Amino acid sequence: DSGVTQTPKHLITATGQRVTLRCSPRSGDLSVYWYQQSLDQGLQFLIQYYNGEERAKGNILERFSAQQFPDLHSELNLSSLELGDSALYFCASSSAGGMEDTQYFGPGTRLTVL
Amino acid sequence: DQQVKQNSPSLSVQEGRISILNCDYTNSMFDYFLWYKKYPAEGPTFLISISSIKDKNEDGRFTVFLNKSAKHLSLHIVPSQPGDSAVYFCAASDTGGFKTIFGAGTRLFVKA
């Protein structure tokens, strides 16, 4: 158990809909990362937050947005969903957010768009 | 544009033998490299890392080698155990640019 929790575990929705994925980092960790893993693909970095502020942005679509709240939990919002958004979405956390910090991953949320 | 490539999607090794997983990168700004292991239905877990100022880092059965001139790193597992069967992701970080890129992963099968 990494200490990072993600909810829900599974999500099935229809095209055009909007969903929110939630992540609670390990106790004491200030940084949260979001990744997308599509079938047979590696982990695609989406976005990183550090202590409530956006720190780095990867290949995140404009239809997607995220935020980190004062209690340090984070939400990833996916809107106007398309079939190709079906994937595993991982959240990770680290203590200080440096690129040398070990990232601790949650178990992921599996999103299926029908 | 795949900046981090793991060209072998899978690898099968006999228990007790050496497993060698390879990773190539293209961006010379990467200065920190990591390996993560992932079991089914779980998130990736950190395994071992290496800074660009080193060419080798060892942790128990796991050793990572870095060849900066070739932009290549490898993970050696000796001896391999059935519990090592998992997907291994190579990741490269540009510590100044706050960017970490993951490879597509290599699925390792260790046969008993």
Side-chain angles (χ1 to χ4, degrees):
Chain A
D1 184 356
S2 66
V4 178
T5 59
Q6 289 187 248
T7 56
K9 201 167 185 175
H10 301 279
L11 197 49
I12 301 175
T13 188
T15 54
Q17 295 298 304
R18 172 189 168 96
V19 296
T20 298
L21 312 184
R22 183 188 167 102
C23 169
S24 292
R26 288 188 327 153
S27 176
D29 282 358
L30 297 178
S31 194
V32 169
Y33 312 74
W34 285 99
Y35 293 87
Q36 179 193 57
Q37 185 184 17
S38 302
L39 191 64
D40 293 333
Q41 298 291 313
L43 294 160
Q44 300 292 323
F45 169 67
L46 297 178
I47 199 164
Q48 178 197 3
Y49 281 83
Y50 175 76
N51 205 20
E53 299 288 327
E54 181 183 308
R55 171 167 277 189
K57 216 166 188 177
N59 299 324
I60 187 166
L61 300 172
E62 284 192 14
R63 301 183 285 109
F64 296 1
S65 65
Q67 58 184 128
Q68 186 180 27
F69 295 86
D71 67 352
L72 301 176
H73 91 272
S74 177
E75 291 181 357
L76 178 67
N77 300 296
L78 315 176
S79 62
S80 302
L81 285 167
E82 301 175 0
L83 295 177
D85 297 327
S86 295
L88 262 173
Y89 290 84
F90 288 103
C91 167
S93 73
S94 71
S95 55
M99 290 298 107
E100 296 181 11
D101 288 354
T102 296
Q103 295 181 30
Y104 296 87
F105 284 79
T109 292
R110 182 174 293 280
L111 173 66
T112 302
V113 183
L114 301 174
Chain B
D1 175 28
Q2 281 185 287
Q3 297 186 56
V4 179
K5 297 180 185 178
Q6 294 178 256
N7 291 319
S8 298
S10 66
L11 174 68
S12 186
V13 170
Q14 198 68 36
E15 181 181 8
R17 305 295 292 268
I18 184 171
S19 295
I20 300 176
L21 296 94
N22 293 304
C23 178
D24 297 294
Y25 61 96
T26 58
N27 190 338
S28 57
M29 297 299 294
F30 289 142
D31 55 0
Y32 196 73
F33 304 89
L34 310 96
W35 286 93
Y36 284 82
K37 178 167 74 172
K38 184 183 181 303
Y39 292 117
E42 295 181 11
T45 55
F46 170 76
L47 192 57
I48 192 168
S49 62
I50 187 167
S51 166
S52 61
I53 63 173
K54 294 186 174 182
D55 54 19
K56 176 182 173 181
N57 189 26
E58 194 171 347
D59 183 2
R61 296 185 297 115
F62 303 92
T63 304
V64 56
F65 295 92
L66 176 62
N67 182 334
K68 289 187 292 293
S69 60
K71 294 191 176 68
H72 176 84
L73 64 154
S74 61
L75 174 68
H76 293 211
I77 307 174
V78 183
S80 301
Q81 300 173 354
D84 296 329
S85 297
V87 176
Y88 289 79
F89 291 100
C90 165
S93 288
D94 168 9
T95 55
F98 293 102
K99 181 165 68 171
T100 298
I101 306 294
F102 281 75
T106 295
R107 186 177 297 277
L108 174 66
F109 299 94
V110 180
K111 298 176 287 187

